[in-house]
Amino acid sequence: MSDSVVSPDLDETVRGWLDENWDPGLSVEDWWQKVGRAGWAAPHFSPEEGGRGMPRNADARVRSIFAEHGALRPPGGLGLLMAAPTILRHGTEDQIDRHVTPILEGRTNWCQLFSEPGAGSDLAGLSTRAERDGDRWIITGQKVWSSMAHESDYGMLLARTDPDQPKHGGISWFAFALDQPGVTVRPLREMTGEIMFNEVFFDGAICEDRDLIGGMNNGWAVTQSTLFFERTGIGAGGGHAGFPKPGPKGGALGRLAGDAAGDEPEDRYRIVAFPHLIELARRTGRHEDPIVRDKLARLWSFIQTGAWNARRAKAEARHGGGGAIGSISKIAQTRIVKLSVEIAMDLIGAEGLVAEGEEARFVDAFLFAPASSIYGGTDEIQRNICAERILGLPREERADKGLTFAESTRRQQSMRGARA
Ligand SMILES: Cc1cc2nc3c(=O)[nH]c(=O)nc-3n(C[C@H](O)[C@H](O)[C@H](O)COP(=O)(O)OP(=O)(O)OC[C@H]3O[C@@H](n4cnc5c(N)ncnc54)[C@H](O)[C@@H]3O)c2cc1C
């Protein structure tokens, strides 16, 4: 991924390309293929990786130029944010060809199958099993909180491949095809009324050996990359909201690109972006209120500092690092989200209880905001990372130190039995 500074003629280059290529009469599928092949889906990837060798911050600019031009933006989603860079870093040539190229061309949508009912913050404590059977793996277990799994074609699956190793040592990372017998995806409804995340059950599902990424029992190292791309993506504003959604299950590939270009992004935090809050302050006549102005100024400074820090994190990622800067970005983003919805609710006031239309979308963002300090690793866990990796404080005590996963599971079970 590139190291250079955004070129001053970027806007001109993108507009020139769009003048020559944008065709609202193409299907979304054909348009995204064109966009992906031209390197605009992830311009910061190197040309060999399917990008244009531009700096990381070029991506957002390219997307806005597409929108200003009236063209459908490049495909987005978790595949682009996390799966593609992880596979580029840890995958083989064959895996890159089979998985990264379809992501760049919007042909597949991905979800993250990490968290389990008994393993969230302690992710390495996961118990979903992958057992070898010739040149394939049999998957058994359960995931939860799997955002967009109901609309995804592939999942970044973490599974235990050797319970007789210490818990971090016996895990592997798979590119897992969701559409098969033995997989049940059950959507969960949030308090906002929306369905975004799911429970996913595996009952003898199959993953081919050629889709094991980064080597057997090396999943923890691969996961560190995925989590870093996730945190820094969230810190930079949530990555690329996929609108419309990539992949066959997203349902948009057959539509006309010109129709899909008018779709609104689904990112719920977009509604509380800074310009919308200023507009809301004006609409409610509170823009001269010193307390509102003070809060808006504080929010603006958080946003600017967060953006600079996110750039540092991306620079670190480009040099192969996966350090703690991403954790700072993620904590900063939580504060930005929470302060933004606080300002919005302060402006809307009690009317929010019966709000409709635009105002109701602010309320939706408010109801969803607590999630920001949980997804992508909780704020408490990010603080632990900063404490250990930046401040050099002692590591947390671990009750399972020196034990294999199987031994520590047996110990936990016998402790539970003794308490019962
Ligand atoms: C909106 C949303 C979308 C999500 N999407 C996905 C997804 O697509 N894929 C996926 O795999 N997961 C997803 N998650 C799951 C998310 O990553 C986990 O919820 C998160 O990692 C916390 O795990 P947990 O829920 O098991 O909480 P727990 O680990 O049980 O933690 C409960 C509380 O204890 C605290 N705590 C735990 N351990 C420590 C410690 N060592 N030190 C200090 N405090 C601690 C936590 O910070 C938290 O406050 C999503 C979550 C949300 C809310």
Side-chain angles (χ1 to χ4, degrees):
M1 295 170 213
S2 166
D3 216 6
S4 54
V5 173
V6 139
S7 139
D9 54 14
L10 172 71
D11 291 26
E12 215 178 297
T13 312
V14 181
R15 285 195 197 107
W17 187 85
L18 286 169
D19 282 340
E20 271 179 34
N21 292 281
W22 167 235
D23 176 357
L26 288 177
S27 67
V28 170
E29 185 169 16
D30 289 345
W31 170 241
W32 274 347
Q33 191 174 80
K34 227 174 192 205
V35 170
R37 288 189 180 166
W40 293 124
H44 71 288
F45 287 0
S46 69
E48 303 76 55
E49 292 168 339
R52 287 192 156 234
M54 292 179 168
R56 185 63 175 83
N57 51 346
D59 287 35
R61 184 67 204 134
V62 166
R63 280 162 194 272
S64 3
I65 302 169
F66 269 60
E68 283 160 23
H69 197 92
L72 175 62
R73 293 176 217 219
L78 299 189
L80 197 65
L81 185 72
M82 293 189 253
T86 302
I87 297 172
L88 281 170
R89 188 175 284 185
H90 298 277
T92 61
E93 281 301 313
D94 167 64
Q95 290 169 337
I96 291 171
D97 286 349
R98 283 187 300 107
H99 293 298
V100 176
T101 308
I103 291 173
L104 295 176
E105 295 179 4
R107 284 188 274 127
T108 50
N109 197 23
W110 286 61
C111 65
Q112 181 192 30
L113 299 170
F114 282 11
S115 304
E116 299 187 4
S121 300
D122 183 18
L123 181 57
L126 59 90
S127 25
T128 292
R129 296 191 316 272
E131 286 157 317
R132 195 190 272 285
D133 173 26
D135 58 359
R136 56 188 207 160
W137 295 83
I138 312 289
I139 319 289
T140 313
Q142 185 199 339
K143 299 287 170 179
V144 72
W145 295 108
S146 319
S147 304
M148 277 80 75
H150 59 304
E151 290 168 339
S152 294
D153 313 291
Y154 279 90
M156 299 165 245
L157 172 71
L158 270 194
R160 186 156 304 281
T161 34
D162 188 353
D164 293 321
Q165 291 209 28
K167 67 177 179 184
H168 295 86
I171 294 172
S172 301
W173 198 112
F174 295 90
F176 178 79
L178 279 157
D179 201 2
Q180 57 165 305
V183 178
T184 307
V185 178
R186 192 190 294 163
L188 296 167
R189 195 171 291 280
E190 306 162 25
M191 72 168 157
T192 60
E194 306 265 327
I195 287 176
M196 186 184 89
F197 34 68
N198 304 266
E199 294 176 297
V200 181
F201 299 87
F202 311 92
D203 184 9
I206 305 292
C207 190
E208 290 179 48
D209 198 38
R210 63 182 189 148
D211 282 332
L212 167 62
I213 311 286
M216 185 170 132
N217 295 333
N218 192 34
W220 193 246
V222 184
T223 301
Q224 292 316 301
S225 299
T226 315
L227 294 178
F228 181 75
F229 292 125
E230 177 176 33
R231 274 176 218 137
T232 50
I234 293 171
H240 309 302
F243 58 99
K245 294 177 183 113
K249 284 198 186 162
L253 295 184
R255 289 175 66 195
L256 282 184
D259 292 345
D263 287 358
E264 282 287 304
E266 284 178 11
D267 180 355
R268 293 185 241 196
Y269 295 141
R270 199 191 58 90
I271 187 70
V272 281
F274 198 72
H276 292 104
L277 288 177
I278 301 281
E279 205 183 294
L280 183 65
R282 291 219 168 90
R283 205 159 66 228
T284 51
R286 302 272 306 280
H287 57 293
E288 301 288 354
D289 180 333
I291 294 176
V292 170
R293 293 174 77 90
D294 180 62
K295 281 189 177 174
L296 283 168
R298 198 143 45 96
L299 176 62
W300 179 247
S301 59
F302 279 161
I303 291 172
Q304 292 311 311
T305 322
W308 289 327
N309 190 60
R311 282 198 202 170
R312 277 175 65 205
K314 304 287 183 199
E316 191 178 280
R318 280 201 300 277
H319 294 291
I325 298 178
S327 298
I328 300 177
S329 294
K330 215 251 137 177
I331 296 169
Q333 186 60 18
T334 303
R335 291 194 70 176
I336 290 168
V337 165
K338 291 196 171 168
L339 183 56
S340 305
V341 295
E342 181 192 315
I343 296 172
M345 286 304 102
D346 181 18
L347 290 170
I348 294 175
E351 280 174 36
L353 288 169
V354 289
E356 284 178 2
E358 185 85 339
E359 255 68 347
R361 296 181 63 206
F362 283 108
V363 177
D364 183 57
F366 169 72
L367 291 176
F368 192 66
S372 61
S373 53
I374 303 175
Y375 58 68
T378 65
D379 280 6
E380 290 85 354
I381 295 298
Q382 306 310 326
R383 288 198 179 93
N384 283 352
I385 294 173
C386 293
E388 289 170 13
R389 296 195 202 159
I390 300 180
L391 301 176
L393 296 179
R395 296 187 76 82
E396 274 196 278
E397 284 301 320
R398 275 181 44 199
D400 54 13
K401 209 170 175 183
L403 300 180
T404 66
F405 178 74
E407 285 164 347
S408 101
T409 311
R410 273 198 296 277
R411 183 189 277 191
Q412 279 172 25
Q413 281 163 351
S414 71
M415 280 164 65
R416 268 190 228 116
R419 275 203 300 268

